[in-house]
Amino acid sequence: MSEPLVALTRPEPGILWLTMQRPEVLNALNDDLKLELTRAIHLAADDPQVRVVVLTGAGRGFSAGQDLTDARALLEGGEPDLAQNLRSCYHPLVLAMHELEKPIVGMVNGVAAGAGLSLALACDLRLAATDTKLAVGFAGIGLMPDAGASFMLPRLVGLGRAFELAAMGEAIGAEEALRLGLVNRVVPAEALAGTTLEVARRLAAAPTRALGLTKRAFRAAFEHDLATQLELEAALQRKAGRTADFREGLMAFAQKRPPAFKGN
Ligand code: T3D
């Protein structure tokens, strides 16, 4: 049996840590890797013990995007249909990440390019090392941003900057990414795993259902007018108000102690 392309570990209760494992090609995304990642995200959704997911890459890169060896093979069949690959492999993965009602922390070690950047952008928080490089990259091979990059990039940095990043094709460093709001924090490379674990630990102790509903509300906000969003807030808050964590939050406040959220 072949080695798994995604390592699943649970370093501490509540944390599912996913490591893409094709370091020899900077975790370029072949179909098996995409399918394994999708399965892992579904597992995170179904397992109540999981309260936060970390996504990272083994070796010196997060992911260099679509496996271009596979993409080249498509040309041999005549007219390539890239939409087919997107629909069958990328869309289920990106949708699963967006729909997961638990936070996903991207630990962006080294380079994230093309669809590798798309996956980083599908995470809810991104932590980078000082030597991390982000490249939209698609234009470099004659393509337009896909796997959700055209959705997330303008939302995160605004239209003008998104177009510049996509059209000029240059990689940007971690500090610039921080300035643009593409990553949340930058730390020295040797501190990245430790900082990520700390952030994940904190999220694993948070009221998971409330964070999931926050994620849903924020993602819907860009499609709604104010009245529709207010209605959505009311509907989601009704759900939050019926969780054990809300009760715990109120009790803890009354008893002047920190809350011990259980994620339900
Ligand atoms: O089919 C579809 O749906 C199309 C969809 C496309 C979506 C996309 O993701 S488009 C963007 C694809 N990605 C790229 O264009 C980036 C390609 N990679 C690079 O430009 C460079 O590798 C980097 C700038 C990311 C890093 O450069 P460097 O010098 O640090 O490393 P390297 O030596 O180039 O790469 C190390 C190895 O990884 C090397 O293999 P080798 O020579 O040691 O055997 C290289 O070929 C391999 N590699 C890097 N990226 C990919 C890859 N192999 C396959 N696919 C890759 N994307």
Side-chain angles (χ1 to χ4, degrees), residues 227-250:
T228 311
Q229 187 67 13
L230 288 172
E231 261 318 302
L232 179 68
E233 284 179 1
L236 299 183
Q237 200 68 297
R238 177 188 287 130
K239 288 178 195 282
R242 292 176 179 172
T243 61
D245 281 344
F246 174 55
R247 277 174 189 276
E248 167 59 11
L250 288 183

Side-chain angles (χ1 to χ4, degrees), residues 121 148-163 222:
L121 299 184
S150 71
F151 183 90
M152 286 308 293
L153 205 55
R155 280 171 167 74
L156 285 167
V157 301
L159 274 178
R161 287 196 168 119
F163 187 78
F222 289 92

Side-chain angles (χ1 to χ4, degrees), residues 22-29 34 60 63-71 74 82-83 85-86 90 111-116 118 135-141 143-144 146-147:
R22 300 189 76 212
E24 67 287 359
V25 287
L26 301 174
N27 301 307
L29 296 153
K34 286 171 253 174
R60 68 180 178 89
S63 169
Q66 169 63 32
D67 188 314
L68 295 178
T69 317
D70 287 1
L74 281 177
L82 298 188
N85 175 36
L86 285 170
Y90 280 110
V111 72
S118 305
V136 179
F138 295 85
I141 56 164
L143 293 180
M144 49 83 58
D146 67 17

Side-chain angles (χ1 to χ4, degrees), residues 124-147:
D124 302 296
L125 282 177
R126 281 157 293 284
L127 309 179
T130 38
D131 60 357
T132 291
K133 294 241 179 305
L134 304 183
V136 179
F138 295 85
I141 56 164
L143 293 180
M144 49 83 58
D146 67 17

Side-chain angles (χ1 to χ4, degrees), residues 83-257:
Q84 209 184 346
N85 175 36
L86 285 170
R87 291 195 181 110
S88 61
C89 291
Y90 280 110
H91 296 186
L93 170 56
V94 172
L95 286 172
M97 291 174 75
H98 280 254
E99 285 162 10
L100 180 69
E101 291 206 351
K102 298 173 183 180
I104 307 178
V105 180
M107 182 174 114
V108 190
N109 52 313
V111 72
L117 179 64
S118 305
L119 293 194
L121 299 184
C123 296
D124 302 296
L125 282 177
R126 281 157 293 284
L127 309 179
T130 38
D131 60 357
T132 291
K133 294 241 179 305
L134 304 183
V136 179
F138 295 85
I141 56 164
L143 293 180
M144 49 83 58
D146 67 17
S150 71
F151 183 90
M152 286 308 293
L153 205 55
R155 280 171 167 74
L156 285 167
V157 301
L159 274 178
R161 287 196 168 119
F163 187 78
E164 186 179 4
L165 288 169
M168 310 295 247
E170 283 147 17
I172 59 165
E175 288 301 336
E176 174 71 350
L178 183 66
R179 198 181 63 77
L180 292 175
L182 269 182
V183 299
N184 299 76
R185 277 195 215 172
V186 178
V187 297
E190 61 279 10
L192 183 60
T195 304
T196 304
L197 186 58
E198 256 171 53
V199 169
R201 188 181 292 141
R202 191 155 163 192
L203 291 170
T208 311
R209 300 269 314 275
L211 293 196
L213 297 171
T214 305
K215 180 166 166 174
R216 211 200 292 181
F218 282 179
R219 286 173 193 262
F222 289 92
E223 325 299 330
H224 288 167
D225 59 25
L226 177 61
T228 311
Q229 187 67 13
L230 288 172
E231 261 318 302
L232 179 68
E233 284 179 1
L236 299 183
Q237 200 68 297
R238 177 188 287 130
K239 288 178 195 282
R242 292 176 179 172
T243 61
D245 281 344
F246 174 55
R247 277 174 189 276
E248 167 59 11
L250 288 183
M251 295 278 284
F253 178 75
Q255 295 166 4
K256 300 192 186 303
R257 61 169 173 82

